[in-house]
């Protein structure tokens, strides 16, 4: 076995990168299926929709507040002078307000199930707090709610972590399934970028000492509950700007409707307050006003379905406007574990001879790289994976970071594999020559982005010689080039950040298809790159998990911290990925763009809707005063009353019809801004004009059958 066994070896991680990717896709698919809109959600959320009829809640939405006031006004006039028409208008105006509330209630209700499961984590945990004289001090049992920032707590196998913190002593496997939904336990240890633990998770083995990093009521679980319920959701800048625009349009249409009364009076006819109010509700942008909040909540919900916690809606919105994406190479673009991909023999050495030596020298190397060399020899050359009887008697030399090589001694024969510089010293110290040809191969493999390992032997005659070079490659994840092509189509520039040398970084960047790369990157280099991009007016997103990533995460417009990372990283970022999957940043950008596209599409539909209703209703309303308008009454609405009531009914029903679209989001396809605008205008602009004409006409066919209206 190795002298120093890395934590992330197959013994500790039962899944290969491919298997882990498949499991993640399967889990993500289940979450997406769970988040799909079901009609039953309308019925379940109906009580919440009635509770939201309170005027204090309606005041938050200026457009719907106008509708609420209009409903009250029409109801009052209906009580004074009841008629079939006034009762019907009053009822459908209240339905309009109720359906708007229903859209928001359904969006919020989708997060309540997850919030309830998270509340189950907030048990009355008893913490084993260490006295102030350090980890060697005495313990005292205190309620978890009494813990303060900086307290040291002991957690052993079978116990629940009492609060968010960082491990300062020990290593343990932790069950985080309650937070992440992932059943496989994870390893947490002190002194690294995987030191963070979350309150409510369970330690499965060993003993750790953690330093509490959050106050009671402000833990990760507390914030997650508030966010998935929408309790702390604040309007984003774009939402505020759109609300101002909608309020302005409402005021404009209010002035238009008010101006109709003197025009009608001049013509010798008065229009009732009920008709004017109904007309106002039909003309103002009630559709997008009703759905705006639901779109924002649904955007946050789509992130939660993918196990990403956004600390604010602003972060989700910013993700949709990202211009530059900083991606770490290891674990994001590549699998992160180098694998043997080729054996390159020196002149005069047969491929099979090199394969046999490479296998022998790697039998004692239990690192992922060593195991991949054995696998390559087994698959490509048919050699046995386990030592034979004659080989078991040999002296195995385990790989270590100090010697930087591994091997086996079989009597007088010695076989070694390791870093080229180490093998050079080993060969020359035993009287052999290190050929220039080996140096040429090592330089070529390095220039192509691989990691070269030299293989050498001392044969039975005592002759030391180099046999060849083993190429290790950090394999680029499948489909990455296609994903980067999609990002490029969106106008997003991708930059790979790595600590590798420029030659290796360039080779990986070209294979993956990124636009640019930053090699030998230090924390200050990341900060400088982000600031340079931002000075050019671009928005930047990046991922990170270590304390050294915290400044860059805080500087980036969208900083996605890994849940496995340190508390400093999670505090600095404005999103936390519970799966700790660095490629999730690409999904986050797509979700942000989908939210912006959905808002833009439904706004286009709503405004086009209002313009269509304006030209559909007014001719029918004033045809008695101005017979010339009959030519514009293309729907041939029966009476002014049926025209108004049909428009009010359609106005309410279209909100319900668009709730699923607001929650699911408009389907996102990578395209330019010009292409996106063209699609919006053709689908939602033209559709918003045609739909009211068809919808109001169909409703009018039914309304005209009602006595007292038709």
């Amino acid at each position: 076995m190795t002298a120093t066994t890395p934590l992330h070896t197959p013994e500790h991680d039962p899944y290969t990168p491919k298997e882990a990717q498949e499991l993640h896709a399967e889990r993500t698919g289940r979450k997406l299926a769970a988040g799909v809109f079901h009609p039953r959600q309308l019925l379940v959320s109906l009580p919440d929709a009635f509770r939201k009829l309170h005027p204090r809640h309606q005041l938050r939405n200026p457009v719907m507040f106008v509708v609420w006031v209009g409903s009250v006004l029409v109801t009052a006039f209906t009580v004074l002078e009841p008629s079939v028409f006034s009762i019907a208008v009053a009822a459908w105006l209240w339905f309009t307000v109720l359906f708007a509330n229903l859209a928001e209630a359904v969006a919020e209700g989708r997060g309540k199930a997850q919030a309830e499961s998270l509340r189950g984590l907030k048990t009355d945990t008893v913490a084993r707090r260490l006295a102030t004289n350090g980890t060697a001090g005495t313990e005292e049992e205190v309620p978890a709610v009494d813990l303060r920032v900086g307290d040291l707590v002991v957690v052993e196998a079978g116990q629940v972590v009492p609060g968010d913190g960082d491990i300062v002593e020990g290593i343990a496997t932790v069950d985080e399934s309650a937070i992440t939904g992932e059943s496989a336990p994870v390893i947490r240890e002190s002194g690294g970028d995987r030191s963070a633990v979350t309150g409510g998770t369970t330690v499965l083995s060993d003993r750790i000492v953690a330093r509490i990093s959050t106050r009671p009521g402000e833990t990760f679980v507390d914030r997650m509950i508030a966010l998935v319920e929408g309790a702390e959701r604040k309007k984003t800048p774009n939402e505020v700007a759109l609300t101002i625009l909608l309020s302005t349009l409402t005021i404009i249409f209010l002035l238009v409707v008010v101006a109709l009364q003197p025009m009608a009076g001049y013509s010798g006819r008065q229009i009732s307050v009920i008709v004017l109010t109904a007309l106002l509700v039909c003309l103002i942008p009630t559709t997008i006003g009703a759905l705006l909040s639901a779109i924002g909540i649904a955007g946050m919900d789509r992130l939660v379905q993918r196990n990403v916690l956004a600390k604010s809606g602003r972060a989700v919105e910013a993700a949709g406007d990202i211009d530059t994406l900083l991606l770490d190479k290891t674990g994001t673009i590549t699998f992160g574990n180098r694998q043997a991909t080729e054996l390159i023999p020196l002149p005069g050495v047969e491929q099979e001879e090199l394969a046999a030596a490479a296998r022998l020298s790697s039998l004692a190397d239990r690192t992922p790289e060593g195991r991949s060399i054995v696998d390559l020899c087994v698959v490509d050359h048919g050699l046995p994976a386990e030592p034979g009887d004659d080989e078991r008697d040999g002296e195995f030399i385990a790989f270590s970071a100090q010697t930087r090589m591994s091997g086996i001694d079989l009597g007088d024969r010695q076989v070694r594999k390791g870093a080229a510089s180490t093998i050079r010293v080993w060969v020359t110290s035993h009287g052999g020559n290190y050929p220039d040809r080996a140096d040429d191969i090592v330089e070529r493999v390095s220039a192509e982005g691989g990691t070269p390992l030299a293989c050498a032997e001392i044969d039975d005659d005592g002759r030391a010689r180099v046999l060849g070079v083993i190429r290790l490659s950090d394999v680029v994840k499948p489909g990455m080039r296609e994903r980067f092509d999609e990002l490029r189509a969106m106008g997003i520039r991708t930059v790979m950040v790595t600590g590798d040398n420029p030659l290796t970084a360039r080779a990986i960047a070209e294979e993956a298809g990124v636009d640019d790369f930053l090699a030998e990157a230090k924390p200050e280099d990341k900060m400088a790159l982000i600031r340079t991009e931002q000075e050019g007016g671009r928005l930047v997103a990046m991922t990170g998990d270590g304390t050294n990533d915290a400044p860059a995460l805080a500087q980036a417009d969208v900083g996605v911290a890994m849940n496995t990372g340190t508390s400093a990283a999670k505090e600095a970022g404005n999103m936390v990925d519970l799966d700790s999957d660095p490629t999730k940043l690409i999904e986050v950008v797509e979700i942000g763009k989908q939210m912006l596209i959905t808002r833009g599409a439904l706004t286009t539909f709503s405004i086009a809707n209002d313009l269509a209703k304006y030209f559909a209703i007014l001719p029918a309303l004033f045809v008695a005063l101005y017979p010339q308008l009959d030519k514009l009454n293309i729907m041939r609405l029966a009476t002014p009353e049926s025209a108004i009531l049909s428009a009010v009914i359609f106005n309410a029903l279209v909100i319900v019809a668009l709730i699923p679209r607001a929650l699911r989001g408009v389907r996102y396809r990578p395209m330019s801004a010009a292409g996106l605008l063209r699609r919006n205008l053709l689908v939602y602009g033209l559709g918003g004009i045609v739909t009211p004409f068809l919808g109001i006409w169909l409703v009018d066919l039914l309304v005209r059958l009602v006595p007292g209206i038709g």
Side-chain angles (χ1 to χ4, degrees):
M1 294 295 291
T2 61
T4 305
T5 304
L7 280 175
H8 198 68
T9 63
E11 288 86 355
H12 292 86
D13 186 354
Y15 303 116
T16 65
K18 183 179 180 181
E19 289 171 337
Q21 202 172 39
E22 289 172 352
L23 286 173
H24 172 71
E26 181 185 347
R27 185 175 69 253
T28 303
R30 285 198 303 267
K31 285 182 174 294
L32 289 175
V36 171
F37 172 80
H38 296 288
R40 185 173 176 274
Q41 292 174 338
L42 295 174
L43 187 62
V44 173
S45 302
L46 201 54
D48 286 335
F50 277 102
R51 282 191 285 271
K52 290 177 181 289
L53 289 174
H54 195 284
R56 187 164 48 195
H57 178 84
Q58 296 300 317
L59 273 170
R60 301 175 188 173
N61 189 331
V63 176
M64 296 314 301
F65 180 68
V66 170
V67 180
W68 184 87
V69 171
S71 303
V72 173
L73 189 63
V74 170
T75 302
F77 276 91
T78 300
V79 172
L80 295 175
E81 297 180 13
S83 66
V84 174
F85 173 72
S86 62
I87 292 172
V89 170
W92 280 100
L93 287 181
W94 281 115
F95 282 142
T96 304
V97 180
L98 184 66
F99 293 159
N101 294 342
L102 188 61
E104 185 176 359
V106 170
E108 291 175 353
R110 284 152 65 95
K112 286 186 177 180
Q114 183 161 350
E116 288 303 318
S117 67
L118 289 171
R119 282 197 176 92
L121 300 176
K122 294 173 60 59
T123 56
D124 297 328
T125 308
V126 175
R128 295 165 57 188
R129 183 170 62 186
L130 288 173
T132 55
N133 57 343
T135 57
T138 58
E139 298 179 11
E140 57 178 344
E141 291 190 350
V142 298
V145 294
D146 291 343
L147 293 175
R148 295 294 179 264
V149 176
D151 284 350
L152 296 175
V153 295
V154 177
V155 190
E156 294 184 341
Q159 296 179 343
V160 176
V161 178
D164 295 358
D166 291 301
I167 299 175
V168 296
E169 179 184 307
I171 179 173
T173 53
V174 181
D175 177 9
E176 295 186 341
S177 58
I179 299 289
T180 66
E182 175 58 71
S183 58
V186 295
I187 295 174
R188 296 287 177 264
E189 61 175 334
S190 61
D193 291 342
R194 293 178 176 267
S195 61
V197 287
T198 305
T201 58
T202 305
V203 172
L204 299 179
S205 70
D206 304 291
R207 173 185 183 274
I208 58 172
V209 177
R211 178 179 286 111
I212 298 299
S213 60
T214 57
R215 292 188 292 268
E218 298 179 4
T219 65
F220 189 81
V221 174
D222 289 313
R223 283 183 293 171
M224 194 169 180
I225 290 172
L227 285 165
V228 298
E229 284 189 323
E232 289 187 4
R233 200 190 80 84
K234 296 180 180 179
K235 286 186 177 180
T236 63
N238 279 352
E239 273 187 282
V240 172
L242 185 55
T243 301
I244 293 172
L245 172 64
L246 298 181
S247 301
T248 303
L249 289 175
T250 300
I251 293 172
I252 291 172
F253 279 116
L254 177 63
L255 295 176
V256 169
V257 171
V258 169
L260 292 178
Q261 183 65 285
M263 290 174 59
Y266 179 77
S267 301
R269 181 181 176 184
Q270 294 296 315
I271 302 176
S272 69
V273 174
I274 293 177
V275 170
L276 290 175
T277 303
L279 181 62
L280 174 64
V281 170
C282 291
L283 297 183
I284 63 176
T286 50
T287 306
I288 185 61
L291 299 173
L292 187 58
S293 180
I295 293 170
I297 295 172
M300 301 276 285
D301 182 58
R302 278 191 286 276
L303 278 181
V304 171
Q305 291 168 26
R306 288 166 174 80
N307 268 0
V308 178
L309 170 63
K311 296 182 181 179
S312 68
R314 182 190 295 262
V316 186
E317 193 172 85
D321 285 328
I322 286 300
D323 301 293
T324 304
L325 206 56
L326 268 60
L327 295 162
D328 194 36
K329 177 186 78 79
T330 306
T332 304
I333 295 174
T334 66
F335 281 117
N337 52 339
R338 296 171 299 174
Q339 300 173 10
T341 55
E342 186 182 5
L343 301 178
I344 309 172
L346 288 177
V349 179
E350 295 294 330
Q351 184 88 18
E352 296 303 322
E353 185 181 2
L354 174 59
R359 170 188 165 274
L360 280 172
S361 63
S362 302
L363 288 174
D365 185 356
R366 305 304 294 175
T367 64
E369 293 86 353
R371 292 171 65 90
S372 73
I373 294 172
V374 175
D375 291 341
L376 180 67
C377 295
V378 171
V379 174
D380 289 359
H381 301 279
L383 298 175
E386 299 298 327
D389 293 337
D390 56 333
E391 296 166 345
R392 294 183 190 277
D393 296 332
E395 182 182 350
F396 289 97
I397 311 299
F399 175 85
S400 71
Q402 289 74 34
T403 64
R404 299 178 65 198
M405 65 179 180
S406 64
I408 187 173
D409 292 343
L410 296 169
D412 293 332
R413 187 188 182 201
Q414 302 176 36
V415 185
R416 296 289 186 273
K417 168 224 67 187
S421 58
T422 304
I423 295 298
R424 177 195 294 273
V425 172
W426 185 77
V427 169
T428 55
S429 67
H430 287 81
N433 293 320
Y434 190 87
D436 293 338
R437 178 60 180 156
D439 278 336
D440 295 339
I441 296 175
V442 167
E443 289 178 6
R444 175 167 61 85
V445 170
S446 297
E448 293 172 352
T451 301
L453 296 178
C455 184
E457 71 167 0
I458 299 174
D459 58 22
D460 294 334
D461 298 329
R463 183 181 58 165
R465 64 184 183 128
V466 179
L467 299 175
V469 175
I470 304 166
R471 182 199 297 267
L472 298 180
S473 302
D474 194 356
V475 180
V476 174
K477 293 180 178 179
M480 292 306 295
R481 177 175 285 275
E482 289 74 13
R483 299 200 76 174
F484 290 139
D485 288 342
E486 289 180 7
L487 291 170
R488 200 171 292 112
M490 303 178 210
I492 297 175
R493 177 170 169 263
T494 52
V495 180
M496 183 185 77
V497 180
T498 177
D500 288 342
N501 63 70
L503 287 176
T504 301
R506 181 181 298 278
I508 295 293
E510 289 176 355
E511 183 181 354
V514 296
D515 297 312
D516 202 353
F517 66 91
L518 178 65
E520 298 176 342
K522 298 184 289 294
E524 53 268 28
D525 297 329
K526 297 178 186 178
M527 282 284 291
L529 176 60
I530 292 173
R531 286 173 175 163
T532 301
E533 293 288 326
Q534 290 173 332
E535 286 171 2
R538 292 178 286 271
L539 297 184
V540 182
M542 75 161 288
T543 61
D545 59 1
T547 301
N548 62 343
D549 291 326
L553 286 171
Q555 180 69 34
D557 300 284
V558 178
V560 182
M562 302 296 102
N563 189 44
T564 56
T566 62
S567 295
K570 290 196 283 189
E571 286 298 323
N574 47 27
M575 292 187 188
V576 178
D577 176 19
L578 303 180
D579 292 329
S580 299
D581 175 10
T583 61
K584 194 76 69 67
L585 183 56
I586 298 174
E587 293 182 43
V588 168
V589 171
E590 292 175 350
I591 292 169
K593 284 193 172 295
Q594 186 183 28
M595 188 181 79
L596 293 178
I597 291 169
T598 302
R599 188 186 296 156
L602 295 187
T603 299
T604 303
F605 182 87
S606 179
I607 293 175
N609 229 323
D610 296 331
L611 292 175
K613 284 183 284 188
Y614 187 87
F615 289 103
I617 299 169
L618 287 185
L621 190 62
F622 287 96
V623 68
L625 297 176
Y626 305 103
Q628 300 90 337
L629 291 177
D630 187 58
K631 294 180 181 180
L632 297 178
N633 186 15
I634 58 177
M635 290 182 288
R636 296 301 166 189
L637 303 180
T639 64
E641 288 77 13
S642 72
I644 286 290
L645 184 56
S646 298
V648 170
I649 294 174
F650 171 81
N651 198 56
L653 293 179
V654 78
I655 294 173
V656 180
L658 288 176
I659 288 178
R661 176 57 60 198
L663 298 181
R664 290 173 181 157
V666 173
R667 185 178 178 184
Y668 169 71
R669 293 173 184 163
M671 62 177 65
S672 64
L676 201 58
L677 177 62
R678 187 163 53 249
R679 187 186 77 168
N680 265 10
L681 291 178
L682 287 175
V683 177
Y684 294 94
L686 186 61
I689 292 174
V690 173
T691 304
F693 282 96
L694 181 61
I696 293 173
W697 175 71
L698 290 174
V699 174
D700 182 71
L701 292 180
L702 299 176
V703 167
R704 66 178 64 186
L705 300 177
V706 179
I709 296 178

